[in-house]
Amino acid sequence: MEKPCSSLFFLGKALYNREVILDEEGERMRTRVLKLLQQANRAYISDGMIADRLGIPRKAVWKHIGELREMGYRIERAARNGYVLRETADLLLPEAIASGLDTEIVGKHIVHCEVLVSTNPEAKRLAEEGAADGTVVVAEEQTGGHGRRDRLFFSPHGKGIWCSYILRPTFLPREAPKCTLMAAVAISRAMEAFGIAAEIKWPNDILHEGKKVVGILTEMRADMDRIRYVVIGTGISINIGEEEFPEPLRGVATSLSIICGEPVSRIAFFQTVLHEMDEIYCLVEREGFASVLSEWRRYSVTLGQEVRVIDVRGDTAFEGRAADIDEDGALLVDTAEGRRRVDAGEVSIRPRACAR
Ligand code: BTN
């Protein structure tokens, strides 16, 4: 069963999963209380000081601290000293993500859910209701996470970043595959920032040393000449142990913690991805796609490879050498009969070297 979602700056009224109803102002203030506790850097800070700094009564400070504790933050109180933040909840709560994030569009509105079947349909529902450009839906767990051709996508509780971005780009519907490439470059940049080499396998996977770490599923609603919205679902395996992957994924999938040899902060990684997504999206809207395209080529493990193009039924359609991608994100394959253009929405590619 799906549990209710918590949203920051979003639906006017937000319903947190412990049935606490907060108004927008309350959520903002709670975020500011959290920020002060974080800035204190494990030193105590008194309720009086928090109240003065935020211009609210001490009673309100106690209320917000109570709410933060309910969400999983371990905040201790010492009679004379006040409060100290001991442990940050490892939940992708809007408050935690927003704290220290300075984006223009992407992640300005974050909707957090404990459990969803999949974040993509929830994002589509919110987009239909008019959710703002850049709204992000994130779930701790997906019970029916899926990829292309309805393949199940393993999304266990608290172990990854299972999220969907709602974008309302101004480019044409036929250019929508650019969104997948934008997300792939943003996540690859974030991996690099964490010291992890990223390999983009066209169109929608990111690998490390041939093993899949990230899957991307882009969906769209459009008129003939205008995108209404694009939903980019991205699944990033963060802290999944080798033995936790179900059998068919063992040996072909991996996670950031396996690669790094230690747990990776989901919050820090998510903030980095949001920052990169925002930068790339704003750049593409302002200046076009060229620079992102060349960056994509740099991360690509598909280009230059002998590939098999698989049709929608899963049959081999043709084989050739992946030569390039074009401005719209389509793959250009050199075959014995000449160059063929492969659209992201219709086929998938299996480089022979790292088939999955
Ligand atoms: C693939 O591997 O083919 C794409 C996988 C996409 C997974 C993400 S996780 C968030 C969003 N919700 C889903 O059900 N799918 C995408």
Side-chain angles (χ1 to χ4, degrees), residues 118-120 142 144-148 153 162-164 204-205 212 215-217 233-235:
S118 159
T119 54
N120 269 25
Q142 297 185 117
H146 58 276
R148 285 180 314 144
F153 189 83
W162 328 122
C163 81
S164 299
N204 68 334
D205 289 346
K212 178 161 168 171
I216 304 171
L217 178 68
T234 63

Side-chain angles (χ1 to χ4, degrees), residues 234-354:
T234 63
I236 310 174
S237 300
I238 305 275
N239 290 320
I240 304 179
E242 201 98 58
E243 68 297 338
E244 289 177 285
F245 280 107
E247 191 44 61
L249 298 181
R250 288 202 192 149
V252 286
T254 190
S255 71
L256 299 190
S257 65
I258 295 173
I259 297 164
C260 296
E262 59 184 2
V264 171
S265 161
R266 291 191 308 150
I267 294 174
F269 195 81
F270 198 20
Q271 287 175 326
T272 310
V273 173
L274 289 168
H275 171 82
E276 299 298 349
M277 259 312 259
D278 188 63
E279 196 171 284
I280 290 171
Y281 184 42
C282 293
L283 180 86
V284 168
E285 282 290 65
R286 244 188 352 255
E287 293 173 23
F289 195 52
S291 67
V292 179
L293 197 60
S294 50
E295 207 175 338
W296 187 94
R297 288 187 183 108
R298 189 165 68 74
Y299 287 116
S300 168
V301 284
T302 305
L303 297 185
Q305 289 217 49
E306 292 300 315
V307 294
R308 265 182 292 151
V309 179
I310 314 294
D311 67 21
V312 279
R313 291 183 306 277
D315 301 329
T316 300
F318 60 88
E319 297 187 344
R321 191 179 148 276
D324 203 356
I325 50 168
D326 69 13
E327 267 288 321
D328 297 338
L331 189 71
L332 305 174
V333 181
D334 287 340
T335 71
E337 292 79 39
R339 181 162 283 194
R340 293 178 70 162
R341 188 176 177 278
V342 187
D343 183 60
E346 291 166 19
V347 294
S348 67
I349 294 287
R350 264 184 210 156
R352 285 170 186 157
C354 51

Side-chain angles (χ1 to χ4, degrees), residues 4-7 13-22 27 30 67-68 70-73 91 93-95 112 114:
C5 299
S6 150
S7 94
K13 291 250 177 201
L15 180 61
Y16 183 62
N17 58 8
R18 302 245 168 95
E19 312 282 314
V20 181
I21 308 250
L22 296 158
E27 284 200 28
R30 191 174 64 199
E67 288 158 2
L68 289 167
E70 274 205 38
M71 292 168 149
Y73 291 92
L91 293 175
L93 294 169
E95 286 82 354
H112 171 265
E114 268 299 307

Side-chain angles (χ1 to χ4, degrees), residues 87-124:
E87 241 173 60
T88 302
D90 183 39
L91 293 175
L92 299 173
L93 294 169
E95 286 82 354
I97 305 300
S99 163
L101 185 73
D102 188 17
T103 53
E104 239 176 88
I105 299 173
V106 178
K108 278 288 210 223
H109 309 287
I110 297 175
V111 180
H112 171 265
C113 303
E114 268 299 307
V115 183
L116 283 175
V117 174
S118 159
T119 54
N120 269 25
E122 182 62 9
K124 284 190 265 182

